[in-house]
Amino acid sequence: MKAIGGAASAIVLGLLGTSLTASAAPAAPAGCGGKPTIVLVHGAWAGTSSWSGEVSRLQGRGYTARAIANPLRGLTGDAASVSEFLKSVHGPVVLVGHSYGGAVITNAAAGNTNVKALVYVDAAAPAVGETTGGLSGSGSALNQNATVLFDKVGTDLYLKQPVFVHSFGPDLAPGQADVLWASQRSAATAAFSTPSKAAAWESIPSWYVIGGADKIITPASQESMAHRAKAHIRTVPGGSHLTLISHPDAVTDQILAATEHVC
């Protein structure tokens, strides 16, 4: 599979040493209108609690941070749900998405002038017409038969325990990945097969966190998407697909970089 586009399997869902590379990003609008609200959107097989480390750190810095529910039913409907929430937020917004949540914010932010920055965390950032299932990369652990990867219940998919533990979050504390596997939320197959209708990163400045050892969305695929979006890139060496849980300091730092650029 190519890093960007092409046939691909379903995608989803992201020490302390980090490296930072950056490419020129579009200038943020001047006069953002006050301290931004930070809205965090989780990916598939995860939930709002996956952002707990970032929320506590951001609150400690005086920011309003909201981790909101992603329905995980299909890209168009999920983006519409997040878009409706954004309408309830007054003032500037920094919108953050993990994994499949990156595709959701790419669509939800379109046309919303309050969204001043996008932050992608081990995430998909599709162009118009691309599906999240086409962006996992040629070396992704998801490039296996679906019967090896998923427990299927109707049209819903659950990650099998070995895939979750060894590929999804291999850098988590012992036992933590097993607990998260047991409490995962299912994702509908439509979440990964629906073409993106928008590409908000074309007009909104963006930042990217890449887990250097991500086995779900490969670092090469993420780098391609990040460079295409002219995003500021931060790579977390050894980070898995769940860097938001295993490396909350690094992820929070990149979110703060976005907020400081905005205001």
Side-chain angles (χ1 to χ4, degrees):
M1 184 193 324
K2 296 183 292 184
I4 293 293
S9 62
I11 149 187
V12 234
L13 304 179
L15 61 225
L16 292 174
T18 59
S19 63
L20 179 65
T21 58
S23 55
C32 67
K35 208 168 193 177
T37 297
I38 301 165
V39 177
L40 306 113
V41 180
H42 65 81
W45 308 309
T48 56
S49 63
S50 60
W51 291 113
S52 295
E54 288 76 14
V55 169
S56 63
R57 286 163 173 78
L58 292 167
Q59 289 179 339
R61 296 290 293 268
Y63 286 93
T64 298
R66 300 290 304 275
I68 64 172
N70 182 353
L72 306 179
R73 300 294 85 199
L75 182 55
T76 302
D78 294 346
S81 176
V82 173
S83 178
E84 282 301 307
F85 180 84
L86 293 175
K87 293 176 184 177
S88 72
V89 179
H90 300 289
V93 172
V94 172
L95 187 57
V96 187
H98 171 243
S99 191
Y100 164 68
V104 173
I105 69 171
T106 296
N107 285 262
N112 188 324
T113 57
N114 281 345
V115 179
K116 306 299 185 182
L118 302 171
V119 182
Y120 294 91
V121 180
D122 299 319
V128 174
E130 290 180 340
T131 65
T132 52
L135 297 171
S136 54
S138 60
S140 171
L142 296 179
N143 295 341
Q144 302 180 66
N145 189 287
T147 59
V148 175
L149 296 170
F150 307 116
D151 291 317
K152 189 173 182 180
V153 181
T155 60
D156 281 359
L157 303 174
Y158 292 86
L159 275 183
K160 288 183 177 292
Q161 188 172 13
V163 179
F164 197 108
V165 172
H166 299 299
S167 297
F168 203 60
D171 63 343
L172 299 179
Q176 187 178 14
D178 292 294
V179 171
L180 293 175
W181 164 78
S183 57
Q184 68 178 288
R185 290 182 54 201
S186 65
T189 56
F192 314 116
S193 60
T194 305
S196 180
K197 293 183 177 180
W201 47 261
E202 291 182 340
S203 58
I204 301 174
S206 60
W207 282 253
Y208 228 107
V209 177
I210 299 174
D214 194 332
K215 297 180 181 180
I216 300 299
I217 307 178
T218 66
S221 182
Q222 292 184 54
E223 288 170 6
S224 294
M225 290 182 280
H227 286 301
R228 179 173 66 178
K230 298 181 174 61
H232 297 275
I233 302 170
R234 180 167 188 154
T235 299
V236 180
S240 73
H241 193 60
L242 292 178
T243 55
L244 75 169
I245 297 174
S246 59
H247 296 84
D249 286 326
V251 174
T252 301
D253 285 348
Q254 190 72 325
I255 294 170
L256 289 172
T259 66
E260 291 164 4
H261 184 81
V262 167
C263 296

